[in-house]
Amino acid sequence: MPHLTIQVTPNVSIPHEESLLKSLNKALWDSGYFDKPTDIKTRILPIETFLVGVEDDEQANGFIYANLKLMSGRDIETRNQLAELLVATIEEKIGDEQSGRAALQICVEVEEISAVYHKKMLDS
């Protein structure tokens, strides 16, 4: 735990997805809120079909939506700090790549996982 899922519209350019994921994991780890680096799990889910607004010319707008799920117990200040950290990391890593390509909105939501959550580690 935590789990970070990133959704990206096809008009947003992420030239090195693995590098972005490593940067996000490192930022989360460096925050000091997590016990082990291997607890942090991140993935990118491309979006094939999307709509921004109602007109065709509004499709020049793209977005990245990041959803960070945490175990319960973190206060609102901590969740807000983590959201701001992720927005800044995404902007730093890919902001320059968007120049002239698409207007980019970066959204981050931090939420607690349901109290009904189970995991099991299978050793190889």
Side-chain angles (χ1 to χ4, degrees), residues 55-71:
E55 301 296 333
D56 290 340
D57 65 347
E58 292 172 319
Q59 300 324 297
N61 297 284
F63 62 86
I64 293 176
Y65 171 78
N67 180 254
L68 179 65
K69 294 214 172 211
L70 304 168
M71 297 300 286

Side-chain angles (χ1 to χ4, degrees), residues 18-34:
E18 187 174 314
S19 176
L20 174 62
L21 294 181
K22 285 180 181 179
S23 294
L24 292 167
N25 281 12
K26 182 163 178 14
L28 288 171
W29 173 244
D30 289 347
S31 73
Y33 290 116
F34 306 104

